[in-house]
Amino acid sequence: MNPDNSQHNFKAFAWHASWLGFTVTFTEVNIVLPGLILEVGGSQIHIGILTAIMVGAPMLTQLLFAGFLTPKARKKPFLLLGIYLRVGALSGVAWTLSQIANIDPAFMIFLVYGWMLIFTTSGAFAGVSYTDILGKSISGDQRKRFFVLRQFLSSIGILISALIARELLKRFAYPMNYEILFIAAAFTLFLASLGFIALREQPVANRYESSSALEIFKFIPAYLREDANLRNFILVNNLTGFATTLTPFYVVLARDSYSLGASDIGNFLLIGISGMILSNLLWSRVVKKHSFKGVLVVWILIGASLPVLALILSTWAPYVMFQAIFFLSGVAISAQRISQGGVLIEISENDNRALYSGINGAFNLTIALFPLISGFVIAWLGYAPVFILGSIAMLTALIFVRRLDCETSKA
């Protein structure tokens, strides 16, 4: 890899990470979007459907996208297409909120679901290209530094935008406050895309160059049989999905524990982002000593503790409890974003990275289905059974993390 191109691309990805943090905050799936659905009159079931759309849908579509994109020597045009579709979807949500006086609340929730389905599936389309381009455009030594820097830059952007979001949620009444958030999200995502316009992508010939998407799918069983790393990584992600998809339900639990206001949503968002930023001071040290696998272990331990802590502390001092819960959630999210992407790149190679990303997403059935089931089960049996199951499943993932061998990567 040309060192000059690697450094240039490092800066392009860093630009994207800086602005993407703003978009992530304004459309935050664990706090902001559940707050919007609750504002419209939604329940636990509606939150479950939303989480399934935001987290599960992109996972299920990744394999289809990976099959289409893997033979492509250049993936930059498809990366930009996915981003611009996301910009359009965010603008669509803002338009929908501006028409609230003319739309029935139930139909409004349906429209928000539709726009966010476009947003999240186009994000999966862009994400497959992103992972592939990152793996081949930044050299291995710089790549580890980039993952930590990306999380730091993103967190700074998220912190600034969280302060803005909190003020918007407090100073403007619904739906104007959310309408402004989504307009800002669309604009900042467009700015983030400018980094990829400047990207220097080198075409990579691979073994699938003349194959169709259907033919590429035929390679999947062989990969699953032959690559223990891929199998273990899929098992880890499925088991951790039980607990990580519960985060939006903490907002619902907060509403059920005490009177939840728009200002509380802003405060919880800021607290969670503070956890993300402060934890970044640790990840560079963990990556140096234990690689991305070490961060993965930390994420699992924190993520497994959150559902149990939420159950225990919600009956004591709910407001203080949720401050602690969302702070730790921010730490866990930061660890998740660094470790998952890093491990995936370490266990894959340049010519199969897009396909590995798609296989991992397609087999993440827990993330796709558990949020939807959780909404119904919580409404029927309460929070305890679902939360306890999430913690146990996530701790079980440690068995398969120990079996991951990232040192033999050819990435």
Side-chain angles (χ1 to χ4, degrees):
M1 183 184 303
N2 187 316
D4 291 337
N5 280 345
S6 180
Q7 186 62 33
H8 175 87
N9 291 332
F10 186 101
K11 295 176 181 178
F13 275 96
W15 169 276
H16 172 263
S18 299
W19 287 104
L20 184 64
F22 288 83
T23 303
V24 168
T25 301
F26 295 146
T27 60
E28 213 277 328
V29 65
N30 294 315
I31 301 174
V32 173
L33 286 176
L36 171 60
I37 295 299
L38 293 177
E39 193 77 58
V40 180
S43 64
Q44 295 98 328
I45 294 174
H46 293 104
I47 298 298
I49 295 172
L50 175 69
T51 306
I53 289 173
M54 295 298 295
V55 180
M59 293 294 182
L60 293 177
T61 55
Q62 271 188 343
L63 183 58
L64 177 63
F65 296 148
F68 171 75
L69 291 167
T70 294
K72 311 297 182 185
R74 293 182 182 273
K75 298 180 177 64
K76 174 179 170 179
F78 304 102
L79 173 60
L80 292 172
L81 173 61
I83 292 175
Y84 294 142
L85 286 172
R86 285 163 69 83
V87 172
L90 293 174
S91 302
V93 176
W95 173 83
T96 300
L97 291 171
S98 71
Q99 302 298 312
I100 189 170
N102 306 315
I103 300 177
D104 178 77
F107 186 57
M108 171 161 285
I109 292 178
F110 176 79
L111 287 176
V112 171
Y113 285 163
W115 287 120
M116 297 319 294
L117 181 61
I118 295 173
F119 176 79
T120 192
T121 52
S122 58
F125 183 73
V128 171
S129 299
Y130 178 96
T131 302
D132 182 87
I133 296 172
L134 175 60
K136 66 186 181 184
S137 299
I138 301 178
S139 63
D141 291 338
Q142 288 185 316
R143 198 185 303 142
K144 287 187 177 182
R145 184 165 62 92
F146 169 74
F147 271 99
V148 176
L149 177 64
R150 181 183 68 175
Q151 189 59 32
F152 174 76
L153 292 174
S154 178
S155 297
I156 294 299
I158 288 173
L159 175 61
I160 296 171
S161 54
L163 294 170
I164 297 172
R166 185 177 66 168
E167 290 304 309
L168 289 174
L169 289 169
K170 287 170 56 178
R171 294 179 180 274
F172 293 90
Y174 170 82
M176 179 63 72
N177 49 7
Y178 284 97
E179 183 181 345
I180 297 173
L181 284 180
F182 278 92
I183 292 173
F187 178 69
T188 53
L189 184 57
F190 175 78
L191 289 178
S193 72
L194 298 180
F196 292 142
I197 292 176
L199 194 68
R200 298 173 185 168
E201 181 189 10
Q202 295 296 321
V204 174
N206 59 67
R207 72 192 78 170
Y208 313 108
E209 197 166 25
S210 60
S211 301
S212 67
L214 183 61
E215 290 173 330
I216 290 172
F217 291 158
K218 296 178 182 178
F219 288 94
I220 294 174
Y223 272 126
L224 292 174
R225 286 194 306 269
E226 298 169 6
D227 195 334
N229 268 335
L230 180 60
R231 293 198 306 272
N232 288 323
F233 187 62
I234 290 172
L235 288 169
V236 168
N237 286 327
N238 271 279
L239 290 168
T240 55
F242 280 96
T244 55
T245 55
L246 291 177
T247 307
F249 292 99
Y250 300 150
V251 178
V252 190
L253 180 58
R255 184 198 63 178
D256 294 344
S257 300
Y258 70 99
S259 180
L260 180 71
S263 60
D264 294 323
I265 297 294
N267 290 334
F268 290 154
L269 181 62
L270 184 60
I271 290 169
I273 289 162
S274 298
M276 292 176 62
I277 293 175
L278 292 176
S279 63
N280 286 332
L281 301 174
L282 300 174
W283 303 141
S284 59
R285 296 182 179 180
V286 177
V287 169
K288 286 180 181 179
K289 288 187 176 181
H290 307 286
S291 192
F292 295 109
K293 186 175 174 179
V295 184
L296 191 63
V297 171
V298 176
W299 164 47
I300 290 173
L301 293 175
I302 296 175
S305 69
L306 285 172
V308 176
L309 286 175
L311 288 173
I312 294 174
L313 299 177
S314 61
T315 58
W316 293 354
Y319 186 75
V320 175
M321 179 278 291
F322 284 108
Q323 290 180 331
I325 291 299
F326 286 113
F327 179 85
L328 290 174
S329 293
V331 176
I333 290 170
S334 177
Q336 177 187 11
R337 289 175 181 172
I338 289 176
S339 61
Q340 280 192 316
V343 170
L344 178 60
I345 286 179
E346 286 188 339
I347 66 172
S348 60
E349 302 174 31
N350 283 339
D351 66 349
N352 64 19
R353 189 163 292 119
L355 186 59
Y356 269 40
S357 178
I359 294 172
N360 173 59
F363 283 89
N364 252 324
L365 300 179
T366 299
I367 292 178
L369 299 176
F370 191 61
L372 188 60
I373 297 171
S374 297
F376 287 96
V377 175
I378 289 173
W380 178 34
L381 298 175
Y383 294 95
V386 176
F387 280 25
I388 292 173
L389 173 63
S391 289
I392 293 173
M394 195 157 192
L395 284 175
T396 306
L398 289 172
I399 297 172
F400 301 97
V401 171
R402 292 184 61 186
R403 298 176 183 176
L404 283 172
D405 181 11
C406 301
E407 301 303 320
T408 60
S409 167
K410 300 176 184 178

